[in-house]
Amino acid sequence: MESGGLEWLLVPMQQLVSWGAAGAMVFGGVVPYIPQYRDIRRTQNAEGFSTYVCLVLLVANILRILFWFGRHFESPLLWQSIIMIITMLLMLKLCTEVRVSNELNVKRRSFAAADSKDEEIKAPPKRSYLDFDLNYFWHWSKFTDYVQCVLTFTGVTGYITYLWLDSSLFVETLGFLAVFTEAMLGVPQLYRNYQNKSTEGMSIKMVLMWSSGDTFKTVYFILNQAPFQFSICGLLQVFVDIAILLQVYLYSHYPQKPVSHTAHPASTKAL
């Protein structure tokens, strides 16, 4: 009798924990970007945030959604990708608006051909095609250019996935590329820190939140027997986070260059 009563209590508790873990999986990844979004909007300064983080997460989550069509995994992981794509687009929109409003250079860069009636874009007449100058890739002057690039990438990869959906090798490779791309999320920040020999302008709180989120995510993958690509690349992502934390320790205790005193408040969020 006592055992039956205990089981009656444990079942809903387990269900509640399962729902909580799924909710944390869906929304936990975007939490670190909420204070960063608010800081950029408040200070009108986006220098401390790399939009290449948005690029990495957009590519990773688009590929993950395409992977779902070839191999259905848990719904929370699918919804996590959808929520993250929306979040990164919002971050891109804000950063682009802030950067353009602060730019003194009137020359504009675009992904798509410039409209001659658009007075804001001062592109030379001879540049009537897509701006594929790698020096200015992902550094355009309008949010719509980023949207066009994302839609183009989604369309091309979606069509290729449709053609090869019956190939298990392609599907598994697609899944690996999706999670491996996300696992490389911290590499641009890691490289920037190495180049600057400093972690000034980077939020330690955000790195810790990011690391704890990646650790939780990896444990979730393992416990819920997600596709093996998720678990392997989740561990790789945790190792990258640890490397960034080691940089924070080394450069703060053994500075490699004089500390600048002109940092803006918004630059305290660098990831």
Side-chain angles (χ1 to χ4, degrees):
M1 193 73 177
E2 183 179 351
S3 176
L6 185 61
E7 184 179 350
W8 176 84
L9 180 63
L10 286 177
V11 170
M13 286 295 293
Q14 290 175 347
Q15 189 67 42
L16 187 62
V17 170
S18 177
W19 288 343
M25 199 61 211
V26 173
F27 297 102
V30 306
V31 170
Y33 297 97
I34 296 175
Q36 184 155 30
Y37 182 93
R38 296 176 61 184
D39 281 353
I40 294 175
R41 189 170 184 175
R42 175 176 56 84
T43 61
Q44 290 298 294
N45 189 315
E47 291 180 3
F49 179 79
S50 173
T51 54
Y52 286 102
V53 170
C54 299
L55 174 62
V56 171
L57 284 175
L58 284 169
V59 170
N61 286 282
I62 289 170
L63 293 179
R64 185 193 287 186
I65 291 174
L66 295 176
F67 176 52
W68 182 85
F69 286 99
R71 181 177 176 183
H72 290 350
F73 45 80
E74 285 196 327
S75 296
L77 300 180
L78 178 64
W79 280 106
Q80 180 199 39
S81 293
I82 296 173
I83 297 298
M84 184 60 75
I85 289 173
I86 295 172
T87 302
M88 290 301 102
L89 289 175
L90 291 174
M91 289 293 296
L92 271 177
K93 185 175 187 299
L94 176 64
C95 290
T96 304
E97 292 172 351
V98 168
R99 186 182 69 247
V100 171
S101 66
N102 293 336
E103 256 182 3
L104 297 178
N105 184 8
V106 296
K107 190 171 184 179
R108 300 295 188 242
R109 295 286 176 177
S110 61
F111 170 75
D115 188 347
S116 60
K117 297 180 181 179
D118 189 351
E119 298 180 358
E120 182 182 285
I121 298 180
K122 307 296 182 182
K126 64 179 181 179
R127 296 185 68 86
S128 57
Y129 299 100
L130 300 185
D131 186 356
F132 285 122
D133 188 344
L134 292 178
N135 294 324
Y136 295 95
F137 178 78
W138 207 252
H139 196 73
W140 301 308
S141 305
K142 281 187 172 182
F143 173 65
T144 51
D145 291 304
Y146 292 96
V147 174
Q148 289 173 6
C149 181
V150 170
L151 291 177
T152 301
F153 175 78
T154 304
V156 172
T157 53
Y159 181 68
I160 294 174
T161 301
Y162 173 75
L163 294 178
W164 291 86
L165 200 59
D166 293 333
S167 170
S168 59
L169 176 61
F170 174 83
V171 171
E172 296 300 330
T173 303
L174 181 65
F176 174 78
L177 289 176
V179 290
F180 181 76
T181 302
E182 185 175 358
M184 294 295 100
L185 174 61
V187 172
Q189 186 66 58
L190 190 71
Y191 182 67
R192 175 188 288 185
N193 295 342
Y194 173 76
Q195 276 189 318
N196 297 336
K197 303 300 182 188
S198 170
T199 54
E200 181 188 4
M202 189 177 66
S203 171
I204 309 304
K205 183 185 297 185
M206 185 173 181
V207 178
L208 291 173
M209 291 174 65
W210 199 4
S211 302
S212 60
D214 291 339
T215 303
F216 169 81
K217 180 172 62 178
T218 303
V219 172
Y220 183 91
F221 292 157
I222 295 173
L223 293 180
N224 287 274
Q225 298 181 345
F228 74 95
Q229 298 99 325
F230 286 75
S231 301
I232 294 175
C233 292
L235 290 171
L236 178 60
Q237 196 167 2
V238 171
F239 290 147
V240 173
D241 294 339
I242 293 173
I244 294 176
L245 290 174
L246 286 174
Q247 284 183 325
V248 172
Y249 174 80
L250 290 174
Y251 293 144
S252 60
H253 287 76
Y254 307 98
Q256 303 294 311
K257 69 175 185 177
V259 177
S260 170
H261 297 286
T262 58
H264 298 284
S267 66
T268 58
K269 299 288 190 294
L271 288 176

